[in-house]
Amino acid sequence: MILLNYSISMKFTEKINKDRLSAFLKHLENKNFSGNSDETFGKCLMILKTLLYTSSDFIPDNTLSTQSNIQTFLYSINFDVIEPDHLIKLKSILDQAADFDVYARYIESILNKNNKSLNSVLMTLWTQLGSNVLRLPIIILEKTIKVNPLIFEKTILSTVLLWEVNDLIDICSKSPLVFQTCSSIFNELLIKLNFTNKFMEFLNYFVNGVGSRCIENNIDIADIYPNRCRSILTLRDIKNKNSTLVKEHDINDEVKKLALDYPKESICLLSHFPDLYISY
């Protein structure tokens, strides 16, 4: 932290000349250091090198506190243009002073690069943030599902064990991808646990919660399910509102087709809406 404070507190009276800074860094890299000074020099060099990736408008303000300048520095970093090796090293700087929003940008950049060498630091970050990962913007959670689904699955399993699903319920009501991914994970658990009452209780809580959030946000719950399930849910909704328009056998026929063509999806749908199972 002291080294970071010192590096950011260096007096600049104008915007950083990145060409001059780059040349200066090359000169420093040719220097030979040994012992403890070598480690300190390396860290200082990394911080200075990171200045190359900051916004062109970044100027440390000597009228502000060191902490404020550090936050401005971290917010000005363009993580997307940083090479993977330096991005990994950068985490040690972030761990000293970064807030949640900076970590969110850092994680999004790692996901955008989709580089296997970054998987380890992504896993470390994910563990470090714990349940707070569910506070990340939905677009980041969706990218995580596409790039590294195992990390996301780990988070979902943790929420099940701790029964801390309120944040997840809110996200699922807004993102079909997150909802369908969670439903798929829960479906596998349901089968492995042999439809135990405890897990059915959890699933009922989850589905009802998502349904309530959808109503609050004026979202048709059918829209967050896979396309192949939506016709059944639409028919179910119409029947519940006006039973003369849709007959029970109409729904039964659709459920039977789904069960034959997509068994896992049918188990998911029937476990979410037991009244369909009764009809079936």
Side-chain angles (χ1 to χ4, degrees), residues 8-10 12 58-66 68-69 72:
I8 305 303
S9 297
M10 294 170 63
F12 292 89
F58 171 66
I59 304 176
D61 188 341
N62 295 318
T63 65
L64 297 177
S65 67
T66 300
S68 295
N69 271 319
T72 303

Side-chain angles (χ1 to χ4, degrees), residues 1-4 47 67 91-98 103:
M1 186 66 173
I2 294 174
L3 182 59
L4 182 57
I47 295 169
Q67 185 63 30
K91 183 180 180 298
S92 62
I93 295 178
L94 301 186
D95 286 344
Q96 295 181 56
Y103 274 124

